[in-house]
Amino acid sequence: MASTTPSYALRFISGKYQGGEFPLVKGREIVIGRSSELDMVLIEDMVSRRHAKIQTTEDEIAIMDMGSTNGTFVNGEKVKKARLKEGDRILIGTSIMKLVTVDPATTVSEAEARNQLEKRGQQAAMRTQVTNRAMSGNIEEIPLPDLLQLFSTSKRTGVLALKGPQGSGEIYLRKGQIYFATIDDAYDLSPQKAAYRILTWDKGAFELDSSESKTVLEEITESTEGLLMEGMRLLDEFRRIEPDLPPRKAPLQISRPLTAPLSALKHAELDVFQVVLNGGTTQTVLDKSKLSDYEAGEHLINLIKREYVVAR
């Protein structure tokens, strides 16, 4: 009878070895590092000669850092030792690996896996010389909040460029701190609002290059952890009110005659009212308002209900 015990592998979902896979054999310990004598060789400056090791037994799969300079991360947390489960993401150097189950019948040998990783590394090195690209991958494989958490804890510096159905976005990092963001170079969006919007993207591709920090007029000062937490909260709130919003392209107008007293409006409501007064659509209000999308949307819904604004 065939064994029902699952077989596992580490699948590279980002970095110079993206697309590669390394099998994990029960009862086997693999050592990961830059030294050519090891089981899994990752040729990167940020990888120590003997960086980490993975032990696979009948009962568990565990990873241990071996005193590396830049650390080993599991799901965004720096670890000395951690038990792994399917779906966990491991960051070593600029490589992100995901623990996946595989079909034993199609699993390659360790020797073949090493050869494939070596070829991918050589090809990536040639591309990096031309593009300065350090990491790349798909948002579907690793959600942006998880990716940015990894970058934060590993103190990455560079520009995270994203392309998806929503457009093109850029997030600027300095030692893991998000300090600027933009979408389609639309500088009327505040960098914080742009960052919040990008966090909602769940489809597309990303690339992190090793560019140095740049000088911008308005920096995000909130910590990356705080930004991620607030971004997720605002996303949940926006999704709650979104069904009550007019369509994004719906023209908005001030009610005429305006019978509701302006004196009854709060300061934030007046800001949204003024955006409508200057002309535009629901999307214009979300873009032009200095408030978050959730706050601007909520005020717009209230202005429509109280007959200050009409959606056409």
Side-chain angles (χ1 to χ4, degrees):
M1 181 181 297
S3 173
T4 57
T5 305
S7 295
Y8 293 93
L10 293 177
R11 180 174 297 158
F12 287 77
I13 61 175
S14 180
K16 66 190 293 185
Y17 303 99
Q18 183 181 350
E21 204 165 271
F22 198 95
L24 301 180
V25 180
K26 291 182 179 63
R28 178 91 165 89
E29 176 182 279
I30 64 168
V31 181
I32 305 168
R34 202 172 67 246
S35 173
S36 60
E37 302 172 351
L38 304 182
D39 306 298
M40 184 192 293
V41 182
L42 304 180
I43 307 298
E44 298 183 31
D45 292 340
M46 295 186 67
V47 176
S48 297
R49 288 184 60 80
R50 294 174 62 86
H51 197 106
K53 62 182 179 180
I54 294 181
Q55 293 177 332
T56 305
T57 67
E58 290 291 338
D59 299 322
E60 69 173 19
I61 301 173
I63 187 168
M64 285 143 281
D65 186 80
M66 301 178 71
S68 66
T69 301
N70 293 300
T72 301
F73 300 84
V74 177
N75 298 327
E77 181 180 353
K78 191 174 185 179
V79 300
K80 290 185 177 179
K81 181 177 180 179
R83 185 172 181 172
L84 300 175
K85 63 183 184 301
E86 184 179 1
D88 281 349
R89 298 180 181 90
I90 302 160
L91 173 68
I92 293 178
T94 64
S95 293
I96 301 176
M97 296 161 274
K98 184 177 181 181
L99 183 64
V100 298
T101 56
V102 292
D103 183 354
T106 60
T107 301
V108 300
S109 66
E110 284 190 19
E112 179 61 25
R114 281 195 293 270
N115 288 336
Q116 290 180 5
L117 290 182
E118 183 178 359
K119 290 178 182 178
R120 290 179 184 276
Q122 291 171 348
Q123 293 168 353
M126 294 176 64
R127 290 195 302 269
T128 301
Q129 289 177 1
V130 176
T131 64
N132 201 35
R133 188 179 72 181
M135 297 179 69
S136 64
N138 295 311
I139 300 171
E140 292 91 334
E141 282 278 9
I142 177 166
L144 281 173
D146 294 354
L147 184 66
L148 289 166
Q149 182 63 42
L150 285 172
F151 292 160
S152 174
T153 50
S154 56
K155 300 187 182 304
R156 290 289 193 271
T157 294
V159 181
L160 182 65
L162 306 116
K163 289 185 178 180
Q166 302 91 337
S168 298
E170 291 183 335
I171 293 179
Y172 292 77
L173 297 144
R174 184 190 297 123
K175 294 183 178 179
Q177 171 66 38
I178 297 173
Y179 68 92
F180 189 72
T182 179
I183 298 174
D184 293 330
D185 291 328
Y187 289 93
D188 53 341
L189 275 183
S190 72
Q192 195 164 29
K193 181 180 282 191
Y196 288 149
R197 283 197 188 171
I198 291 173
L199 286 175
T200 68
W201 295 6
D202 56 7
K203 288 181 174 33
F206 70 83
E207 291 183 1
L208 177 72
D209 70 30
S210 54
S211 300
E212 296 297 322
S213 297
K214 67 177 289 184
T215 301
V216 296
L217 293 176
E218 181 183 357
E219 286 201 5
I220 297 171
T221 57
E222 189 176 0
S223 70
T224 294
E225 290 78 9
L227 191 74
L228 293 175
M229 289 180 63
E230 180 66 3
M232 292 302 97
R233 183 190 73 80
L234 291 173
L235 174 59
D236 289 341
E237 294 285 8
F238 185 78
R239 284 174 174 167
R240 178 177 59 81
I241 68 165
E242 192 170 16
D244 297 326
L245 275 173
R248 296 298 181 94
K249 294 182 180 180
L252 303 175
Q253 296 179 359
I254 303 300
S255 297
R256 299 183 186 282
L258 180 61
T259 57
L262 290 176
S263 59
L265 295 179
K266 298 176 182 177
H267 180 75
E269 292 172 328
L270 280 170
D271 286 346
V272 174
F273 182 88
Q274 184 172 356
V275 176
V276 176
L277 182 63
N278 290 335
T281 62
T282 302
Q283 188 64 55
T284 304
V285 169
L286 299 178
D287 290 344
K288 297 286 187 182
S289 173
K290 294 181 180 179
L291 303 171
S292 69
D293 287 346
Y294 159 61
E295 294 166 323
E298 186 176 48
H299 289 316
L300 177 59
I301 290 169
N302 288 333
L303 289 171
I304 292 172
K305 286 180 179 179
R306 294 159 63 189
E307 299 183 347
Y308 286 92
V309 173
V310 176
R312 298 298 182 187

